[in-house]
Amino acid sequence: MMYQLPSNNPSKTISIPTELRDSLSCLDIVWSNIFETVDSKINPDRARQYEVDFLQGAPPTWSNFDKSASLQLVERDGFKDLIQLIEEKREKSCLITDVSLQYQPGSGGSTLAMQVLWHFRKDLRCARVIDSDTKKLSKQVVDLFLLSNEEHAEQDRKTVLLLLDTKEKMDNDLPIKNDLWENLIEEIHKRDINTQTPVVIILNCSTADFSLNDTMILDSKLSEEEIRQFKEKLLQQIRVQRKSQWKVTTINLLYHKDSSGSAVVREVLQDLREEFTCEILTEPFTTEITENKEEFKKEIEDKANKLHRKYETHKKPVVLLLDHKDDKSLRYLLKNLQSKLQRSDRTDHPAFIIINAVKKSVVRAPGHVKLKLELLPDEKEKFAQKRQEIEKKHKKISKTFHAFNIMQGSFQKEDAEKVITEEMINHIGNDKQSSSTRLLSFLALMNSYVPGSHLLKPLCKTFIEQTKWPTDEGKPSVEMIMQPFMDLIVIFSDGKQNFMRLKHPMIADACLKMFTENNLTRSDIALDFLNSMVKGNESNYGQICKRMLVTRPYGLIKKQKFSRLILDIIMEGKTNKCISLLEMALNLFSTDPFYPQALARLYYIEVMEEDKYQEAEKWAEEAIKRDSKKSHIRDTLGQVYKNHLRSEVKKSCLDINTCLDIAQSAIDAFKHEAEAAEHELDDDTRFNNRGHFGFLQVCKEIKSSEPLEQSEQKLLEAEVESKYDFFEWYLAFSRLSYNTEEPDYFHRDVEDCYKRYFKQAEQTERMALNEKKMKSFGGLLHFLKSDIDVLKKNLSAIKKLQSKNETQTILYIFANIILSQSDEPSEKSQELQDRLQKLWSTEVHGRSPEFYLLILLLFWSDQAKKAKPKPPNLENCVKYMSQSYKRTYQKYLHGRYLEPLFFYGKGEGLQRLVHALKPHQHSLQRPVHSKLDKTDLDLLTEGDGSVEVKCLQRINGKVEDHKVFAVRNGQQIPVIAHNQASVCRRGQVSFYLGFTIRGPVAYNIRYQNFHG
């Protein structure tokens, strides 16, 4: 067969030479002429078998999409949405873009993604990732785009639609897409590709637990039909969560202020009153946590008690609509409800489904598609019709198509449970030790906790052959042994090996339930699986065991404490079985540090015995032995000591020496962690701050619980101040990601620790903290977000010091810039420029990033350049700032989102600067609200060249060699592209200019020939 791909010319295709085809080993390419040539047509009997396997529950193969050989597959609701999103994205002027498909395991997500590739195979170069080595992969993707080594072979180029459906994470815990994205841009730059349309559209598929939470958006000016569809999707989501075993679930609804969002939800609730207890609370929280912490806690407690009584009375799920403008207090209500339900019996439904409805001035259409374990009404009709076609073609065998039938029945538990026959239940009851019962239990455990996983058929055969048979004549096959349960199992091949799995994850859940009812517990099955299947075959089961025993899922508020399997076994009251499981796993995987780490955490969090901390310490040290260089592994030992210290402090008979010994061990552990974090840094690693943070938490604990000797106090003070200084700039200049900040307790614990060590007798804690914040760049930024009056009152103190002290001069200039953001009087920009220019003239090289930032803020405008003879050279300033940032901050802030501190606006003098910092949550003082609202910031960070932000000034520039420059008075000043993928070709551009601690940044780059 001559393999072909679409050309740039829509009427032509390009034949691919064998050598190029063989070089694309990381990709499963969907050739545009697949199954169309005589030698590529699939044998009808084989096509039929592929179809049967797929309908029974095997993963899809490309032959399942060939309409000439197979029945056409049902297109789920997300199909058209994905097609539309990809059509929009392919017109974007960028190097790389992406579309996201989030799906619940068993809902058909992988199938839908492959359907989309099949749809575009004649129009885009479609391929699926089969090897996640991102360096090699990115090279091959660009090869697929170019198909030619000639520099200007434009006619051979075509956008690649790349399906990324890898459920695993990279070692550094960043999703593979992030890593691939960076490597693709590097490869595109290396090849000097300039393009009007994307090189790659990544179709990024990931699993999501919509049974726990989801976010829905309701825009304004919707038609009646669109509102009807929204109601259907809201009902769908409520029904998905109705099947959940989580005790509290949430639906976050962001609705436009001009929409009828709240009324629409109330109408849906009206229809659900028979099935649920429905409650509505408007503006439910009247007290702010900063106003009165005790009053706030009481209000939350009262609301939670009232809701809990409602649930206890009716014993059916409570659907609670919270309709408010600000949902910051929601997490406290969630925590309270969860704690009340923690000890209640396991149920097959949640106690609370909370619809968290928040009114917004602007909402943005989602750029992703979601696939759920619940059909919409239109989908139900399509599946009903398809079932008739299937029964007509496949007759009786269609009754074994459990994967299809469960989906067609809208994923009801009852449908999964009824495929387990009375004979199967009797077989298990009568013969729990048989190979067939045990192998089925392994499949049930794996497919329930790691959906999509499978067992290698040859290993199943080996397992069966360990059993003694009455005769030496031919030992029976896997199929013969598993005959009582073969109706639940599908055997399939990837062309190289044969695999076995249950036909649907919901069947696995039903089987697991059946086993537990027959006194075969999860822990019994897991221990047997480790001992009988994994032992001796560890390399085949490494990922499955890690996901079952170690990987912690995200809950509503934060990561769960343990893996889902471990949590379920704990819920059964069998913590000792968890210990046995993890001990066996850590012996099997004898070099893996994550099993002893998980065991250490289990001991100090869940075990009640007196020696729990000694055992936890032992296993935390074992984890360190296995990987002493990884700082995150070292963190666990510090956490063991820290929790041991907290436990000792609570005792009525406090032993101060014991506490101090434990505290010293904790401090040493966290210091070693911090040292490891410094040494492990490379281009792909995000700095681990938990050593510094753990140190402060321990110091706070010992200062709170007992008086320290003066010598001990002094010893710790210097280190506490040093760590505090680190977090002052670290948290001021960056955050985890654009959408994710550090948890609430992070700032609180850092500041509380400082206050306890440095508050003087005549000061309040707040005064001590404000005094400290006046002494640093990051600290001054804090007053924009909290209380500008503090800065105003203390400005004169900085002014007095600054005449002789260069550091104070810099702080004084910055303090005035901050004051200029409010209505408060500040020194004129010309006077500040004079002070700064004097410093610039004495020393240009080797200064701090903060110094160069001030030069940019004060001298960027044309007026500044005209007013000053020989103003600072901004090209040089940016170069020196980049060097200074690399020396000072880069290794700590790599991988974090750098906060844009200011944007360049439209005013005069200092009024040109627009700060971009959000006020502290519920600040009671006087923060300075930015001219940029949350929507503007969203558009700046996530929008494209079409974005207009009223209060900002567009800057003219150009792109050369994939680098962006601001062009000003003959100077070409390099700026960093906020979205590197938007720098796709040479040319004249404009952009909004932001300033981070790294340098000037170009947001929303627009090419001059832009028509959007």
Side-chain angles (χ1 to χ4, degrees):
M1 171 186 169
M2 181 57 77
Y3 295 92
Q4 293 181 339
L5 286 171
S7 163
N8 214 349
N9 183 336
S11 61
K12 292 184 179 176
T13 57
I14 299 175
S15 296
I16 307 304
T18 305
E19 188 181 342
L20 176 58
R21 194 176 76 237
D22 292 346
S23 72
L24 304 176
S25 58
C26 294
L27 301 169
D28 174 18
I29 297 168
V30 193
W31 307 104
S32 58
N33 62 336
I34 188 171
F35 305 134
E36 290 177 8
T37 61
V38 174
D39 56 345
S40 72
K41 278 195 180 296
I42 194 160
N43 174 289
D45 291 338
R46 203 163 158 208
R48 185 185 179 89
Q49 187 56 51
Y50 281 138
E51 183 171 81
V52 167
D53 289 347
F54 172 67
L55 292 168
Q56 287 187 334
T61 61
W62 293 119
S63 66
N64 295 128
F65 305 96
D66 178 17
K67 293 175 196 170
S68 66
S70 304
L71 291 172
Q72 184 174 350
L73 301 185
V74 177
E75 291 166 358
R76 282 208 64 182
D77 179 65
F79 179 77
K80 286 181 182 171
D81 294 334
L82 275 177
I83 299 297
Q84 184 182 335
L85 280 170
I86 291 167
E87 291 287 6
E88 290 168 7
K89 297 280 187 174
R90 66 187 293 191
E91 300 303 320
K92 281 191 73 167
S93 189
C94 60
L95 297 178
I96 310 169
T97 185
D98 69 325
V99 172
S100 170
L101 169 62
Q102 297 172 304
Y103 64 93
Q104 285 183 273
S107 64
S110 296
T111 304
L112 173 57
M114 289 174 71
Q115 278 176 296
V116 169
L117 259 64
W118 184 263
H119 171 87
F120 280 108
R121 73 192 185 284
K122 293 181 181 293
D123 204 14
L124 298 170
R125 292 181 185 157
C126 298
R128 180 172 59 162
V129 174
I130 52 176
D131 183 337
S132 58
D133 177 338
T134 54
K135 289 274 185 197
K136 196 162 71 168
L137 174 60
S138 56
K139 182 184 181 303
Q140 292 182 19
V141 170
V142 177
D143 287 342
L144 184 59
F145 168 75
L146 292 173
L147 289 189
S148 169
N149 292 322
E150 294 173 37
E151 197 174 328
H152 302 293
E154 299 277 339
Q155 72 277 5
D156 288 351
R157 297 178 177 187
K158 193 74 178 175
T159 297
V160 175
L161 178 58
L162 186 71
L163 169 54
L164 186 63
D165 190 15
T166 51
K167 298 167 185 70
E168 307 303 329
K169 299 261 185 176
M170 304 296 283
D171 287 342
N172 60 8
D173 204 36
L174 290 172
I176 181 177
K177 190 198 88 172
N178 297 11
D179 208 50
L180 175 61
W181 193 286
E182 287 177 15
N183 283 312
L184 278 168
I185 285 176
E186 190 181 315
E187 187 65 31
I188 292 165
H189 287 181
K190 200 188 293 180
R191 313 266 192 114
D192 194 25
I193 294 168
N194 288 275
T195 177
Q196 298 271 10
T197 52
V199 173
V200 193
I201 301 170
I202 298 174
L203 174 50
N204 188 41
C205 293
S206 57
T207 56
D209 189 0
F210 297 122
S211 74
L212 176 63
N213 61 358
D214 189 22
T215 297
M216 302 183 73
I217 289 169
L218 186 63
D219 211 337
S220 60
K221 298 173 186 171
L222 297 183
S223 66
E224 283 186 20
E225 175 58 20
E226 287 170 324
I227 288 174
R228 182 191 68 79
Q229 289 173 358
F230 176 81
K231 284 181 177 178
E232 283 182 353
K233 290 195 173 180
L234 179 56
L235 269 170
Q236 177 196 40
Q237 179 56 31
I238 290 169
R239 300 222 178 281
V240 164
Q241 293 190 345
R242 171 69 177 78
K243 301 171 191 174
S244 169
Q245 289 192 353
W246 294 99
K247 288 173 178 174
V248 182
T249 67
T250 60
I251 302 168
N252 295 309
L253 171 61
L254 309 179
Y255 68 92
H256 193 281
K257 63 183 175 59
D258 297 331
S259 75
S260 50
S262 177
V264 170
V265 179
R266 287 164 195 255
E267 286 170 26
V268 171
L269 261 59
Q270 194 63 40
D271 297 336
L272 295 173
R273 292 197 175 274
E274 289 295 313
E275 192 178 345
F276 300 90
T277 302
C278 296
E279 288 287 308
I280 298 170
L281 295 175
T282 305
E283 293 302 337
F285 308 111
T286 57
T287 311
E288 303 287 14
I289 190 167
T290 47
E291 287 174 23
N292 187 326
K293 194 172 181 181
E294 291 310 311
E295 185 63 31
F296 175 80
K297 283 168 71 176
K298 184 177 183 305
E299 183 184 0
I300 293 286
E301 180 72 22
D302 290 346
K303 280 207 167 46
N305 282 334
K306 187 178 174 186
L307 290 166
H308 189 245
R309 280 196 296 274
K310 284 262 182 190
Y311 172 66
E312 288 293 322
T313 303
H314 300 286
K315 283 297 180 190
K316 59 182 181 180
V318 176
V319 178
L320 171 64
L321 169 60
L322 297 178
D323 189 10
H324 46 183
K325 291 174 190 162
D326 181 2
D327 62 349
K328 299 291 186 193
S329 302
L330 173 65
R331 65 193 308 273
Y332 297 99
L333 179 65
L334 294 176
K335 284 175 83 169
N336 202 303
L337 287 172
Q338 285 175 329
S339 68
K340 289 186 188 331
L341 295 161
Q342 205 154 25
R343 287 165 293 280
S344 59
D345 294 337
R346 180 190 290 270
T347 60
D348 62 353
H349 65 255
F352 296 96
I353 298 172
I354 298 176
I355 303 174
N356 179 42
V358 182
K359 192 188 293 185
K360 297 280 182 182
S361 56
V362 176
V363 295
R364 298 172 62 212
H368 51 251
V369 171
K370 299 170 182 177
L371 209 60
K372 300 176 180 179
L373 290 172
E374 179 75 27
L375 298 182
L376 292 164
D378 290 352
E379 291 179 310
K380 288 177 182 176
E381 286 181 25
K382 287 185 198 172
F383 273 93
Q385 290 169 6
K386 184 57 62 179
R387 180 162 192 161
Q388 290 176 0
E389 289 178 42
I390 288 170
E391 286 175 347
K392 187 176 176 183
K393 178 176 178 180
H394 290 285
K395 309 291 189 295
K396 285 183 181 178
I397 196 175
S398 65
K399 289 179 181 174
T400 69
F401 296 168
H402 298 322
F404 175 84
N405 294 338
I406 286 171
M407 190 177 281
Q408 189 258 323
S410 199
F411 308 98
Q412 300 306 314
K413 288 179 185 174
E414 298 75 19
D415 289 342
E417 287 170 357
K418 71 185 181 191
V419 302
I420 302 172
T421 63
E422 198 65 37
E423 289 82 356
M424 293 176 189
I425 295 168
N426 290 336
H427 183 94
I428 288 164
N430 295 332
D431 203 350
K432 289 178 185 171
Q433 293 307 309
S434 68
S435 300
S436 55
T437 298
R438 290 166 67 203
L439 200 49
L440 180 70
S441 73
F442 302 158
L443 288 168
L445 187 79
M446 281 174 47
N447 292 162
S448 183
Y449 287 97
V450 191
S453 59
H454 45 252
L455 290 175
L456 278 165
K457 191 180 172 189
L459 293 181
C460 296
K461 191 169 187 296
T462 305
F463 167 73
I464 286 166
E465 286 172 351
Q466 292 169 4
T467 308
K468 292 183 179 176
W469 298 99
T471 67
D472 291 333
E473 295 174 19
K475 290 183 178 178
S477 66
V478 173
E479 288 86 347
M480 284 173 66
I481 288 296
M482 296 306 293
Q483 191 54 47
F485 308 115
M486 277 310 293
D487 189 41
L488 308 179
I489 295 168
V490 62
I491 296 175
F492 59 94
S493 170
D494 66 351
K496 298 173 188 172
Q497 299 183 93
N498 289 326
F499 306 99
M500 292 175 65
R501 75 180 188 195
L502 294 180
K503 290 179 176 178
H504 195 274
M506 290 180 72
I507 294 176
D509 294 341
C511 285
L512 210 49
K513 181 182 172 189
M514 172 189 63
F515 280 118
T516 55
E517 287 168 354
N518 279 273
N519 298 319
L520 268 171
T521 64
R522 289 171 174 79
S523 51
D524 293 335
I525 296 166
L527 283 164
D528 191 14
F529 174 67
L530 289 177
N531 198 39
S532 306
M533 289 295 287
V534 178
K535 195 173 182 179
N537 299 297
E538 288 85 355
S539 60
N540 291 295
Y541 295 108
Q543 284 299 324
I544 288 172
C545 289
K546 194 167 278 186
R547 287 178 68 187
M548 278 203 295
L549 298 171
V550 174
T551 304
R552 295 156 57 194
Y554 278 94
L556 275 180
I557 299 166
K558 59 182 180 180
K559 254 188 181 180
Q560 298 285 298
K561 290 175 181 172
F562 304 101
S563 74
R564 206 158 56 84
L565 175 58
I566 295 293
L567 285 170
D568 283 345
I569 296 171
I570 290 170
M571 276 288 287
E572 293 169 352
K574 297 181 177 173
T575 305
N576 59 326
K577 291 284 189 180
C578 296
I579 292 170
S580 303
L581 260 177
L582 289 169
E583 283 182 343
M584 184 179 284
L586 68 85
N587 286 325
L588 292 172
F589 299 98
S590 56
T591 60
D592 192 316
F594 294 105
Y595 293 101
Q597 182 189 43
L599 185 53
R601 295 185 75 257
L602 184 73
Y603 266 108
Y604 84 75
I605 294 171
E606 287 295 330
V607 172
M608 295 299 157
E609 280 78 14
E610 275 294 309
D611 65 345
K612 59 185 269 180
Y613 292 110
Q614 288 74 25
E615 285 294 311
E617 181 186 338
K618 177 178 89 175
W619 293 115
E621 285 176 340
E622 171 61 24
I624 292 169
K625 270 187 208 166
R626 294 184 179 195
D627 192 345
S628 60
K629 291 181 179 176
K630 197 168 256 143
S631 63
H632 286 283
I633 295 297
R634 285 188 170 276
D635 184 64
T636 305
L637 183 60
Q639 299 299 336
V640 170
Y641 290 130
K642 184 184 82 181
N643 281 273
H644 191 183
L645 176 64
R646 285 177 174 170
S647 165
E648 289 294 323
V649 164
K650 286 175 188 171
K651 290 181 178 176
S652 52
C653 299
L654 184 67
D655 185 332
I656 289 176
N657 289 329
T658 300
C659 286
L660 288 174
D661 287 345
I662 297 167
Q664 189 58 56
S665 297
I667 284 169
D668 292 344
F670 284 126
K671 279 184 179 177
H672 290 144
E673 178 186 0
E675 286 165 15
E678 292 276 350
H679 293 140
E680 73 188 348
L681 288 174
D682 59 39
D683 289 344
D684 297 322
T685 312
R686 180 183 280 182
F687 179 71
N688 171 21
N689 60 42
R690 304 306 282 199
H692 290 333
F693 183 63
F695 173 89
L696 289 178
Q697 284 185 309
V698 172
C699 290
K700 173 188 161 186
E701 198 70 51
I702 53 176
K703 181 70 174 166
S704 308
S705 56
E706 70 263 343
L708 291 169
E709 295 285 335
Q710 195 167 7
S711 57
E712 292 167 336
Q713 164 105 359
K714 285 289 174 197
L715 203 61
L716 286 177
E717 271 181 7
E719 290 192 80
V720 166
E721 186 160 30
S722 165
K723 301 285 190 292
Y724 174 84
D725 289 342
F726 170 85
F727 282 113
E728 184 83 274
W729 58 257
Y730 183 81
L731 298 173
F733 297 151
S734 71
R735 60 178 126 149
L736 283 166
S737 69
Y738 171 65
N739 289 315
T740 315
E741 297 188 57
E742 259 73 23
D744 291 351
Y745 64 81
F746 212 90
H747 293 265
R748 185 184 64 234
D749 283 3
V750 168
E751 292 186 349
D752 283 355
C753 184
Y754 179 85
K755 289 185 290 193
R756 285 175 196 185
Y757 279 81
F758 292 95
K759 181 183 106 48
Q760 302 302 310
E762 70 283 0
Q763 288 179 311
T764 64
E765 287 190 340
R766 178 54 55 189
M767 285 166 66
L769 192 63
N770 284 338
E771 184 182 287
K772 174 66 175 169
K773 288 184 180 295
M774 293 296 296
K775 296 175 183 174
S776 72
F777 214 83
L780 289 174
L781 279 168
H782 167 85
F783 296 116
L784 267 177
K785 300 190 279 183
S786 63
D787 191 356
I788 200 71
D789 287 338
V790 174
L791 181 56
K792 182 185 169 188
K793 286 173 192 168
N794 289 277
L795 187 64
S796 57
I798 306 180
K799 189 171 184 177
K800 282 176 193 169
L801 291 167
Q802 58 99 28
S803 57
K804 296 177 184 175
N805 185 309
E806 188 174 301
T807 303
Q808 291 298 317
T809 302
I810 290 170
L811 289 176
Y812 177 71
I813 293 168
F814 191 49
N816 275 279
I817 291 174
I818 288 172
L819 276 176
S820 74
Q821 297 290 295
S822 70
D823 298 329
E824 298 300 331
S826 61
E827 194 161 329
K828 289 180 181 175
S829 60
Q830 284 192 344
E831 292 164 5
L832 298 175
Q833 287 163 0
D834 290 341
R835 295 172 193 271
L836 199 55
Q837 191 160 357
K838 194 182 288 184
L839 293 177
W840 173 269
S841 63
T842 60
E843 182 64 56
V844 173
H845 297 278
R847 290 185 176 275
S848 69
E850 290 88 339
F851 174 81
Y852 297 116
L853 176 62
L854 290 181
I855 294 284
L856 292 175
L857 294 178
L858 288 176
F859 287 94
W860 190 278
S861 73
D862 290 332
Q863 292 97 320
K865 286 181 175 277
K866 289 171 188 169
K868 300 287 170 197
K870 293 189 178 177
N873 182 307
L874 297 190
E875 278 186 66
N876 289 340
C877 176
V878 169
K879 181 174 77 176
Y880 301 147
M881 187 174 184
S882 174
Q883 293 166 357
S884 180
Y885 174 80
K886 283 175 184 169
R887 279 195 312 272
T888 315
Y889 294 134
Q890 181 167 286
K891 72 176 182 176
Y892 301 108
L893 299 182
H894 171 76
R896 286 173 65 85
Y897 176 75
L898 295 184
E899 295 270 17
L901 305 174
F902 294 90
F903 282 92
Y904 192 72
K906 292 178 176 176
E908 297 295 324
L910 294 179
Q911 294 308 307
R912 267 199 181 277
L913 300 176
V914 178
H915 91 80
L917 302 174
K918 293 185 296 183
H920 281 321
Q921 180 185 324
H922 307 314
S923 180
L924 281 178
Q925 292 86 27
R926 199 160 68 85
V928 181
H929 291 274
S930 174
K931 294 175 192 170
L932 296 165
D933 63 21
K934 175 73 166 66
T935 305
D936 290 330
L937 289 169
D938 285 347
L939 291 171
L940 283 163
T941 50
E942 297 176 358
D944 57 23
S946 64
V947 164
E948 296 290 348
V949 180
K950 288 179 185 173
C951 65
L952 299 186
Q953 172 76 50
R954 273 195 170 270
I955 301 291
N956 292 322
K958 67 179 193 177
V959 171
E960 282 182 1
D961 300 325
H962 297 288
K963 296 188 180 83
V964 187
F965 299 89
V967 179
R968 302 180 65 71
N969 303 323
Q971 281 191 318
Q972 289 190 174
I973 305 165
V975 296
I976 302 152
H978 178 258
N979 176 8
Q980 193 63 49
S982 66
V983 185
C984 56
R985 63 183 187 279
R986 299 178 191 89
Q988 303 300 310
V989 294
S990 69
F991 47 82
Y992 293 120
L993 183 69
F995 300 93
T996 70
I997 196 61
R998 185 181 170 193
V1001 180
Y1003 293 81
N1004 307 128
I1005 294 170
R1006 179 189 296 173
Y1007 282 83
Q1008 269 193 4
N1009 60 350
F1010 179 82
H1011 300 298

